Amino acid sequence: MAIIVDKEQKKRDIALACKELILSNGINNLTVSQVAKSAGVGKGTIYEYFTNKDEIVFELVNILMQKHSQKLQETLKTKSSTKEKIREFSRFFYSEDEIELRQLYKEFIALSLISPKNEMMEFHAECSKSYFSWFETILKNGIENKEIKPEALLLAKGLFVVGEGLFIQNSVIGQVQNIQKDLDSFIDTIFSLMEQK
């Protein structure tokens, strides 16, 4: 009797099996032999699921972003004010809980900039669109609850991208420890302008 393999699950399993390898070595120092050994499969099996190492990072980021989204959704339910929710949204860029996802995200961003592929660009665009919609809904609820001024929606896109911008800039210059302070200061300043008095 033939064994039926869930190809999507197998792909996820292979990607997750080499997560630590990618985190410790980076994508540039990774070999298919190492991936195969880590996943407990042959090299040929790796090529059945991934055409290159970049796709493994893409799959890992996809898996971890789904987990992050679920966790964020639950955490946001515990926050009462708009400002607390926006702060929670920004925690991704400095929280110890998300260090692995951030490290993989940096690899993903680097790959996307160096050798953009349609699938990666579409994934990034879809994630950004989904997260921005979520972010915008938080602001709209804040307006409905009379916490912030209606004009706050005009700042939504800028407020949304500041976290990623600070993350990329501070990662490049090696000052990641400043992200929380910078984001908190920025959010406090923006909210002092947006809050209903």
Side-chain angles (χ1 to χ4, degrees):
M1 178 183 251
I3 298 173
I4 298 172
V5 176
D6 180 342
K7 292 210 176 257
E8 282 303 309
Q9 187 58 49
K10 183 71 173 176
K11 185 176 183 176
R12 290 172 64 88
D13 291 344
I14 291 170
L16 288 169
C18 65
K19 179 175 79 167
E20 295 305 321
L21 194 60
I22 293 172
L23 290 171
S24 61
N25 297 339
I27 191 72
N28 291 331
N29 300 318
L30 189 68
T31 67
V32 173
S33 295
Q34 291 172 316
V35 170
K37 183 177 179 184
S38 182
V41 297
K43 284 172 45 173
T45 302
I46 301 300
Y47 287 111
E48 285 180 43
Y49 294 93
F50 302 99
T51 57
N52 57 45
K53 301 181 299 185
D54 300 356
E55 286 186 5
I56 298 170
V57 171
F58 173 64
E59 181 68 16
L60 273 172
V61 168
N62 191 6
I63 293 166
L64 295 178
M65 285 299 286
Q66 288 174 12
K67 289 179 181 178
H68 168 73
S69 294
Q70 291 168 349
K71 190 167 76 173
L72 179 59
Q73 192 168 23
E74 291 304 312
T75 304
L76 286 175
K77 289 177 186 176
T78 68
K79 305 299 177 191
S80 57
S81 75
T82 302
K83 187 175 180 179
E84 288 175 318
K85 290 176 182 176
I86 297 301
R87 252 193 230 290
E88 190 60 41
F89 232 89
S90 301
R91 287 192 73 228
F92 165 77
F93 296 109
Y94 59 81
S95 167
E96 286 298 314
D97 300 341
E98 302 297 346
I99 199 162
E100 288 181 345
L101 178 54
R102 276 197 311 276
Q103 192 172 341
L104 289 166
Y105 186 63
K106 282 194 284 189
E107 294 277 354
F108 176 78
I109 292 293
L111 291 170
S112 297
L113 292 171
I114 292 168
S115 56
K117 294 179 177 56
N118 284 340
E119 188 180 16
M120 286 182 170
M121 290 188 300
E122 287 168 9
F123 171 76
H124 198 259
E126 188 57 40
C127 281
S128 291
K129 181 181 172 185
S130 174
Y131 276 91
F132 180 68
S133 175
W134 197 359
F135 190 84
E136 201 172 37
T137 299
I138 291 170
L139 292 178
K140 286 177 181 176
N141 290 339
I143 292 166
E144 287 174 19
N145 295 334
K146 307 264 189 262
E147 289 180 68
I148 56 177
K149 299 173 185 174
E151 296 82 10
L153 272 182
L154 299 173
L155 299 172
K157 193 67 163 186
L159 184 56
F160 180 73
V161 298
V162 161
E164 187 168 26
L166 283 171
F167 170 68
I168 291 170
Q169 178 190 1
N170 287 351
S171 294
V172 169
I173 62 175
Q175 294 183 355
V176 178
Q177 68 278 4
N178 295 338
I179 293 174
Q180 181 176 1
K181 184 177 89 93
D182 292 345
L183 275 173
D184 284 347
S185 176
F186 182 78
I187 290 168
D188 288 343
T189 302
I190 289 293
F191 269 82
S192 73
L193 300 170
M194 295 187 325
E195 286 175 323
Q196 294 277 20
K197 304 290 181 200

